Amino acid sequence: MVNNAGFGLLATLEEGSDEEMFKQFDVNVFGLIKTSREVLPYMREAKSDVIINISSFLGKNDKEHER
C-alpha cells in the first residue's frame, strides 16, 4: 500500500481554528490508521506486507513567491 493522503494547514497556532486542526489531524493521522487497518487483512492473506507512507514538503507557503 502506498499512502500519499494528507494535507497541510497554512496557519499559525493563533490563526488556525480548533476545527481546522482537528480535521487535519483526523485526515493525516487517523486516515492513515483507518486505511492501514482496512488493507492489513488482505496483505496478511497474500503474505505481502509493504506499507509506504509519503509526505510532502511542497505544501510550504512561500509568501515571497506569491507576488
Side-chain angles (χ1 to χ4, degrees), residues 6-31:
F7 71 95
L9 181 59
L10 299 176
T12 64
L13 187 59
E14 296 91 359
E15 293 171 340
S17 70
D18 287 349
E19 183 180 344
E20 290 172 315
M21 291 181 198
F22 281 111
K23 181 178 180 181
Q24 180 190 30
F25 195 85
D26 185 47
V27 170
N28 294 351
V29 177
F30 291 117

Side-chain angles (χ1 to χ4, degrees), residues 1-5 35 43 50-54:
M1 176 183 82
V2 177
N3 176 26
N4 192 29
T35 302
M43 294 175 110
V50 176
I51 297 176
I52 300 170
N53 296 310
I54 300 173

Side-chain angles (χ1 to χ4, degrees), residues 21-63:
M21 291 181 198
F22 281 111
K23 181 178 180 181
Q24 180 190 30
F25 195 85
D26 185 47
V27 170
N28 294 351
V29 177
F30 291 117
L32 167 67
I33 292 170
K34 292 173 186 177
T35 302
S36 297
R37 279 185 184 155
E38 290 295 319
V39 77
L40 282 171
Y42 300 102
M43 294 175 110
R44 282 195 187 96
E45 184 179 322
K47 297 186 188 222
S48 177
D49 59 356
V50 176
I51 297 176
I52 300 170
N53 296 310
I54 300 173
S55 64
S56 173
F57 191 68
L58 294 176
K60 181 181 177 199
N61 188 7
D62 188 353
K63 300 274 186 199

